[in-house]
Amino acid sequence: IEHEGVHIGNRLYPFERFHSFATSKQGSFSSLVLFPMKRFSLLTTAYYDPRDEQKILAIISSYLPLEEKKRDLIDELMWKIRF
């Protein structure tokens, strides 16, 4: 994560492509979920070490608003079957 956007692999995802973000905890994993500006675009998810969460939130929240994301029924089902 840098000031231009989020690097996932070799690709840069600029903050301008997203309208908000959320964090998600699934067991011992933490993830950053970026919500795209385009209506039918896919969510972008990046996993990170929970110890780095405060640093990550400090950077991203200066560019995007935090959105509270609650897991819906489908998310719960996928989590239970480990998909």
Side-chain angles (χ1 to χ4, degrees):
I1 296 174
E2 56 186 49
H3 295 288
E4 289 83 33
V6 178
H7 279 279
I8 300 175
N10 293 330
R11 191 162 179 199
L12 173 66
Y13 295 88
F15 290 125
E16 295 84 32
R17 293 180 57 187
F18 306 102
H19 66 80
S20 61
F21 76 98
T23 59
S24 177
K25 292 187 186 346
Q26 299 172 351
S28 61
F29 296 102
S30 294
S31 63
L32 176 69
V33 181
L34 299 166
F35 299 101
M37 290 286 231
K38 294 183 180 178
R39 186 173 186 169
F40 296 108
S41 295
L42 297 173
L43 298 175
T44 301
T45 304
Y47 292 92
Y48 61 88
D49 187 336
R51 294 175 293 194
D52 295 330
E53 185 168 58
Q54 293 305 316
K55 290 189 292 188
I56 290 168
L57 292 179
I59 293 170
I60 291 182
S61 63
S62 65
Y63 296 98
L64 298 171
L66 177 63
E67 183 176 308
E68 291 297 321
K69 180 181 179 265
K70 295 185 171 105
R71 292 200 300 193
D72 60 12
L73 184 60
I74 300 297
D75 288 338
E76 283 293 326
L77 177 63
M78 296 306 244
W79 172 246
K80 288 184 191 242
I81 63 172
R82 306 262 191 237
F83 184 72

